[in-house]
Amino acid sequence: MRRNTRGLTVIETMSAATLFLTSVIVLIGLYPASARATRQAQGHLMATYLAERELEFARGRGYDALTDYTETYDLAVTNNGVSHDINFTTTVKVIDVRDGLKSVTVSVDYLAPDKFNRQLKMETYVGKSTPAP
């Protein structure tokens, strides 16, 4: 019985190499987009943290001490060894909804590493509590 022991042809080898190189080029092309998305997510995460922080401060101050104010923070985001300074501006607005209830809105504005202005808003309500007799 005779076995056919034939290797790969030149066309099969070229096709496999082309497919492999195409895959590698696509994966290398995804890296900058992934790094950019990571930087954007880090900026959004920091903005979320600052907004939650300001809301907690507002809840802790008490109903009568709530006032409008603005704070500015300069924070650094590091991604793959490259640091990006981001300037965050938090603005707290207090609105009397009705007697004994205030709306507290925090907006965080920042210039993201991708050079687009971003804004994040969070809101909570603070009620006036009266001690039980």
Side-chain angles (χ1 to χ4, degrees):
M1 183 177 218
R2 188 172 148 196
R3 291 177 65 184
N4 188 2
T5 56
R6 182 181 136 220
L8 296 175
T9 65
V10 173
I11 293 175
E12 291 171 332
T13 305
M14 293 295 285
S15 297
T18 303
L19 182 62
F20 175 74
L21 288 175
T22 303
S23 303
V24 168
I25 290 170
V26 167
L27 290 175
I28 290 172
L30 291 177
Y31 178 75
S34 172
R36 184 173 44 254
T38 301
R39 282 192 306 272
Q40 288 174 358
Q42 286 174 328
H44 184 76
L45 182 66
M46 291 175 118
T48 302
Y49 166 76
L50 290 172
E52 288 175 350
R53 180 178 182 263
E54 295 298 335
L55 288 176
E56 286 300 319
F57 283 163
R59 290 183 194 112
R61 272 191 202 103
Y63 182 83
D64 294 325
L66 291 174
T67 59
D68 295 348
Y69 64 93
T70 300
E71 291 285 334
T72 302
Y73 303 92
D74 290 319
L75 302 173
V77 174
T78 303
N79 185 17
N80 293 331
V82 178
S83 181
H84 301 276
D85 292 332
I86 303 177
N87 180 280
F88 294 90
T89 303
T90 60
T91 305
V92 178
K93 296 282 185 192
V94 180
I95 299 171
D96 284 324
V97 176
R98 62 173 193 258
D99 189 35
L101 184 66
K102 291 183 180 181
S103 166
V104 180
T105 304
V106 176
S107 70
V108 181
D109 297 298
Y110 63 101
L111 182 65
D114 60 2
K115 305 300 180 206
F116 288 105
N117 289 318
R118 307 276 187 199
Q119 184 179 57
L120 175 87
K121 283 190 176 186
M122 289 188 177
E123 181 179 15
T124 191
Y125 292 91
V126 177
K128 188 172 193 174
S129 61
T130 55

